[in-house]
């Protein structure tokens, strides 16, 4: 049984989104944007709905374990609206300290009734009351217990243990389970960090600059209360690349800043620091011709354009027309006339695009490094990881064909999986004598893996190459 819409409230909107994700395999961000666009919720309720959707998805494996143990029923045997109403209530019980238990339980019961499952109201009430009394339980096996605690499949715990033995798997999982900060990139062609801070303050949005990791502020001024984005032991781009406070952390989150007038006016775009550093590793210069071969939604192209002072020619390509439109809309909002968005397949060579001085190759990947932003990634089967490396190597090899002698190629992923990262770049190096590994920034590294628990960024991998003259 499909059930009726439960919209009209923050929890109702959240339930509708969660049901779409389960029933239609919709992406949460797409389903949430669609739901919020047709509701008249207040700003506060829109924020609550957003938190409930992402939080419930992020903790779904944990929640389902608790629900099955408490109810004695398998979650895959429950009607989708009933299950998601229980998940919403359980999420609030376990992770929302400011929401009264009575509200979490009663609202979930009301949602079930509103969805047309009145007969399940008693079941929902009983399960949530029992969860409140008993609190959380974990499996006896250490690996399974860690999987439940951090709400990931058990194979993922073993994956991190096997592939990154230099770090405790629990530290990696804790970082991937943390709440991601909202990092923005100041559009330095239209404003500067100080002015944007002032504009944000007028709207009650708190923002602070992120100084460059080497201990020097991004704009070369006084550090003030700025906090490092990553440990000082790492040396990333100099001030010339993260100009004028280019990266800022915003305390009220992505939802608040995207709803601001400053966003509509093109004064910034939302982009994690790791992605900004990827664009900086390209070392764009004025007059460059740049190709972003898998560009959507366009953040790296936007940052590269700003780093080149807007005096460059950027082709931002993506295979899907609707995603190309996203790039076009973003470039128009940011007033980056140097960017031309085109629909192209990264696996094919398109001679008509010409030759380039710089190429960004941010390939499709398993996304294990961005689970805290895209919680559905947690539900991918392990078998999916095997489909990426061959495709990634093919895209990287194809991207290299566009580069002029002396040009610079940057390869990146948002995953923590050596098979998609180091193994791909190694395979590329073994087959391309006309390329050599290049220094990323100023620390001698030619490739770098970022970890949330260490670098306070998304999980990310970046490698740089130069084409021999």
């Amino acid at each position: 049984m499909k059930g009726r819409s439960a919209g009209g409230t923050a929890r109702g909107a959240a339930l509708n989104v969660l049901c779409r994700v389960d029933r239609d395999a919709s992406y949460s961000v797409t389903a949430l944007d669609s739901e919020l666009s047709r509701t008249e919720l207040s700003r506060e309720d829109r924020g609550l709905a957003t938190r409930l959707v992402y939080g419930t998805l992020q903790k779904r494996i944990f929640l389902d374990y608790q629900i099955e143990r408490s109810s004695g029923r398998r979650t895959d045997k429950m009607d989708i609206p009933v299950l998601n109403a229980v998940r919403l209530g359980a999420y609030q019980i376990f992770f929302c300290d400011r929401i009264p238990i009575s509200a979490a339980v009663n609202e979930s019961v009301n949602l079930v009734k509103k969805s047309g499952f009145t007969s399940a109201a008693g079941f929902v009430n009983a399960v949530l009351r029992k969860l409140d009394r008993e609190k959380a339980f974990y499996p006896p096996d250490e690996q399974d217990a860690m999987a439940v605690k951090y709400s990931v499949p058990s194979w993922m715990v073993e994956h991190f243990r096997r592939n990154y033995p230099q770090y405790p798997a629990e530290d990696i999982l804790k970082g991937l389970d943390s709440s991601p900060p909202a990092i923005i990139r100041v559009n330095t062609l239209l404003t500067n960090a100080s002015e944007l801070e002032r504009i944000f303050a007028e709207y009650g949005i708190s923002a602070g600059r992120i100084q460059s990791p080497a201990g020097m502020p991004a704009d070369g001024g006084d550090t003030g209360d700025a906090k490092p984005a990553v440990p000082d032991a790492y040396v990333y781009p100099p001030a010339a690349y993260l100009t004028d406070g280019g990266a800022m952390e915003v305390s009220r989150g992505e939802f608040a800043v995207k709803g601001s007038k400053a966003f509509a006016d093109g004064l910034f775009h939302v982009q994690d620091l790791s992605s900004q550093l990827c664009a900086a590793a390209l070392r764009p210069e004025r007059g460059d011709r740049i190709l972003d071969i898998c560009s959507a939604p366009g953040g790296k192209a936007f940052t590269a354009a700003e780093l080149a002072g807007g005096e460059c020619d950027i082709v931002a390509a993506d295979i899907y027309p609707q995603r190309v439109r996203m790039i076009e809309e973003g470039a128009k909002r940011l007033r980056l006339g140097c960017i031309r968005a085109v629909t192209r397949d990264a696996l094919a060579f398109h001679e008509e695009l010409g030759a380039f001085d710089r190429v960004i190759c941010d390939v499709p990947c398993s996304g294990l490094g961005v689970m805290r932003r895209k919680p559905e990634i947690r539900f991918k089967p392990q078998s999916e990881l095997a489909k990426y490396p061959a495709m990634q190597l093919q895209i990287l090899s194809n991207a290299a064909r566009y580069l002029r002698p002396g040009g610079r190629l940057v390869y990146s992923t948002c995953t923590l999986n050596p098979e998609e990262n180091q193994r791909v770049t190694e395979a590329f190096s073994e087959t391309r004598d006309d390329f050599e590994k290049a220094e990323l920034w100023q620390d001698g590294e030619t490739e770098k893996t970022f970890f949330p628990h260490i670098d306070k960024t998304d999980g990310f991998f970046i490698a740089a190459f130069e084409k021999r003259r």
Side-chain angles (χ1 to χ4, degrees), residues 307-352:
L307 294 176
E311 298 179 13
C312 58
D313 175 22
I314 297 181
V315 175
D318 198 89
I319 190 172
Y320 298 109
Q322 65 270 28
R323 292 175 64 81
V324 171
R325 286 193 292 272
M326 290 173 59
I327 303 170
E328 291 173 335
E329 291 166 1
K332 182 178 180 181
R333 181 180 60 80
L334 295 164
R335 286 179 259 179
L336 298 173
C338 59
I339 294 177
R340 176 169 63 99
V342 299
T343 303
R344 296 290 190 281
D345 183 355
L347 289 168
F349 182 71
H350 303 277
E351 188 175 3
E352 75 280 2

Side-chain angles (χ1 to χ4, degrees), residues 3 39 56 64 75 133 170 225 253 266 275 291 301 317 335 362-363 366 394 414 443-444 453 465:
T39 63
T56 302
D64 283 3
T75 53
R133 291 193 305 270
E170 186 159 12
D225 295 327
S275 185
L291 173 63
R335 286 179 259 179
D362 183 50
V363 295
S366 58
Q394 186 177 347
C414 59
D443 54 3
H453 74 287
F465 301 89

Side-chain angles (χ1 to χ4, degrees), residues 53-187:
V53 167
Y54 288 127
T56 302
L57 284 172
Q58 181 177 347
K59 298 295 185 180
R60 194 171 86 175
I61 293 174
F62 168 88
L63 297 172
D64 283 3
Y65 181 83
Q66 309 304 326
I67 291 168
E68 288 189 347
R69 189 186 182 284
S70 178
S71 69
R73 292 177 55 184
R74 286 173 49 179
T75 53
D76 61 0
K77 299 299 182 182
M78 299 180 191
D79 289 306
I80 289 176
V82 175
L83 173 58
N84 279 314
V86 179
R87 286 169 172 164
L88 277 170
Y91 174 74
Q92 293 168 75
I93 289 171
F94 285 112
F95 301 105
C96 300
D97 294 338
R98 295 184 180 181
I99 295 179
I101 300 299
S102 58
V105 175
N106 294 336
E107 290 299 323
S108 289
V109 171
N110 290 336
L111 287 176
V112 170
K113 294 177 179 178
K114 192 171 182 180
S115 299
F117 292 86
T118 304
S119 61
F123 169 78
V124 172
N125 181 74
V127 172
L128 293 178
R129 295 292 181 189
K130 189 174 181 181
L131 287 175
D132 177 45
R133 291 193 305 270
E134 295 183 346
K135 302 304 180 185
F137 285 85
Y138 299 93
D141 178 80
E142 180 186 6
Q143 182 166 306
D144 290 342
M146 200 181 301
V148 169
K149 180 178 181 180
Y150 294 105
S151 202
V152 297
S154 186
W155 69 259
M156 204 173 285
V157 180
E158 175 58 27
H159 168 85
F160 291 126
R161 278 179 166 169
R162 182 177 67 256
N163 289 297
Y164 300 102
Q166 67 271 40
Y167 304 118
E170 186 159 12
D171 288 351
I172 297 176
L173 290 166
K174 189 180 296 184
L176 292 171
D177 196 47
S178 62
S179 297
I183 307 294
I184 66 172
R185 167 80 200 177
V186 182
N187 185 350

